[in-house]
């Protein structure tokens, strides 16, 4: 499997660099923007084109692969047998549209439920975070070290905006117990902050493609990735996800209440 994964890394990084060029070129054109579940949930022609580009390449590499892509999955794709690819062409589409920054492109590969590879590409910063349990985690070509196991009081906490505004799970108390709260509007960007040790944790309601890559990278670096109530994540359903240092996870568990 070692050599195969090496080949996979080269292939996926190549696609993601090509996707970056497509995404940056789109800033010179008018974007087509549609709403999905509500006025805050957007999709653009670029999300659709990049997902198609990834899917085409995944199928060329691995015709039998199962792809769970944000913009094109069907119920039949929702299983973890054999190789499963999670694809989020643009995570933080609102930021992509409004700010032209603070968004990522994400791919994850699982085999029979076990995470093999996660790739999170900060397109504007040109930083690709990638890796898996057998090789560790890299930012471009630099191996990352595990972040310090900080307590909640000593770290910043990322919280999805609706959770904080409506105090779901008593998260306002969690915010107050931390060093401060950060909200960036992209799960990928916020998970990068946790794996880099810039934040002690991140909690939000996430869909499988929002957390699939981050889960592999964060767990490889010794972080906790669970439901907010401490139970294991189901990779196929949307969940209240907490990515955090082990100490911050314990601190948060003491403060949260059922919503
Ligand atoms: P997206 O841009 O890929 O849709 C914004 O707070 C974060 O939540 C982004 O990572 C965004 O991903 C994600 N998001 C947007 N709409 C969502 C929804 N209905 N459920 C869960 N996550 C959502
Ligand atoms: Ca998306």
């Amino acid at each position: 499997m070692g050599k195969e994964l090496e080949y996979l890394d080269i292939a996926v990084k190549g696609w993601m660099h090509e996707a970056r060029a497509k995404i940056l070129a789109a800033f010179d054109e008018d974007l087509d923007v549609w709403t999905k579940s509500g006025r805050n949930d957007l999709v653009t022609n670029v999300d659709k084109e990049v997902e198609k580009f990834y899917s085409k390449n995944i199928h060329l590499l691995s015709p039998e692969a199962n792809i769970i892509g944000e913009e094109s999955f069907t119920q039949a794709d929702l299983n973890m047998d054999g190789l499963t690819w999670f694809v989020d062409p643009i995570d933080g589409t609102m930021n992509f549209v409004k700010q032209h920054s603070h968004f990522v492109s994400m791919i994850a590969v699982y085999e029979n439920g076990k995470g093999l590879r996660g790739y999170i590409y900060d397109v504007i910063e040109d930083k690709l975070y990638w890796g898996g349990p057998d090789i560790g985690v890299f930012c471009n070509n630099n191996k990352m070290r595990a972040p310090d196991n900080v307590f909640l009081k000593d770290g910043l906490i990322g919280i999805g905006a609706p959770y904080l505004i409506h105090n779901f799970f008593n998260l306002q108390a969690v915010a107050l117990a931390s060093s401060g709260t950060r909200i960036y509007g992209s799960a990928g960007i916020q998970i990068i902050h946790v794996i880099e040790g810039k934040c002690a944790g991140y909690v939000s309601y996430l869909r499988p493609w929002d957390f699939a890559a981050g889960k592999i990278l964060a767990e490889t670096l010794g972080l906790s990735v669970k439901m907010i109530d401490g139970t294991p994540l189901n990779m196929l359903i949307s969940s209240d996800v907490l990515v955090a240092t082990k100490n911050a996870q314990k601190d948060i568990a003491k403060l949260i209440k059922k919503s």
Side-chain angles (χ1 to χ4, degrees):
M1 202 66 192
K3 271 269 167 262
E4 280 172 41
L5 284 176
E6 236 175 84
Y7 181 68
L8 185 89
D9 288 330
I10 293 166
V12 176
K13 286 188 223 170
W15 310 336
M16 295 188 95
H17 287 122
E18 260 190 77
R20 175 173 188 263
K22 290 177 195 293
I23 291 168
L24 295 180
F27 289 144
D28 297 328
E29 315 273 326
D30 287 337
L31 286 176
D32 294 325
V33 184
W34 301 273
T35 55
K36 295 195 286 183
S37 60
R39 69 184 193 88
N40 308 118
D41 187 11
L42 304 183
V43 62
T44 73
N45 56 306
V46 184
D47 300 62
K48 292 182 183 190
E49 282 158 29
V50 170
E51 181 158 321
K52 242 189 226 160
F53 170 75
Y54 286 154
S55 298
K56 182 190 78 184
N57 282 293
I58 292 167
H59 278 135
L60 283 173
L61 187 77
S62 158
E64 79 291 358
N66 181 40
I67 305 176
I68 301 177
E70 172 165 18
E71 312 305 342
S72 60
F73 80 99
T74 64
Q75 288 304 310
D77 299 323
L78 296 179
N79 74 82
M80 299 292 285
D81 302 333
L83 279 186
T84 302
W85 293 68
F86 291 88
V87 170
D88 191 347
I90 297 182
D91 171 72
T93 300
M94 184 64 81
N95 292 346
F96 170 65
V97 171
K98 300 276 186 204
Q99 304 185 323
H100 289 193
S101 65
H102 299 103
F103 61 89
V104 299
S105 190
M106 298 196 281
I107 294 178
V109 189
Y110 284 71
E111 187 175 38
N112 297 318
K114 181 182 175 296
L116 293 182
R117 279 292 181 272
Y119 307 86
I120 305 181
Y121 198 4
D122 182 333
V123 167
I124 297 300
E125 294 292 319
D126 195 12
K127 285 186 178 170
L128 176 57
Y129 299 81
W130 63 281
D134 57 319
I135 53 162
V137 179
F138 296 79
C139 173
N140 293 338
N141 293 321
N142 304 315
K143 188 148 191 183
M144 295 176 70
R145 67 173 192 88
D148 291 342
N149 187 13
V150 296
F151 291 95
L152 178 63
K153 71 176 178 47
D154 299 319
L156 295 167
I157 182 84
I159 304 184
Y163 276 39
L164 190 59
I165 292 165
H166 300 297
N167 197 28
F168 293 158
F169 299 104
N170 198 31
L171 280 166
Q172 290 175 358
V174 172
L176 289 169
S178 72
S179 297
T181 310
R182 297 292 179 268
I183 301 173
Y184 293 94
S186 155
I189 292 280
Q190 304 237 210
I191 294 172
I192 288 171
H193 289 161
V194 184
I195 66 174
E196 285 184 320
K198 292 178 178 175
C199 283
Y202 169 58
V203 57
S204 191
Y205 180 73
L206 299 179
R207 284 122 3 127
W209 44 83
D210 293 325
F211 64 79
K215 181 174 191 291
I216 295 171
L217 302 184
E219 287 182 343
T220 298
L221 289 171
L223 294 157
S224 163
V225 184
K226 293 181 178 166
M227 304 257 288
I228 193 167
D229 64 6
T231 55
L233 282 177
N234 177 337
M235 290 308 303
L236 297 175
I237 58 173
S238 302
S239 305
D240 305 300
V241 179
L242 172 65
V243 182
T245 65
K246 290 192 167 134
N247 281 331
Q249 192 273 336
K250 282 185 214 142
D251 293 340
I252 291 167
K254 288 178 209 148
L255 293 168
I256 64 145
K257 293 184 183 148
K258 271 214 160 77
S259 289

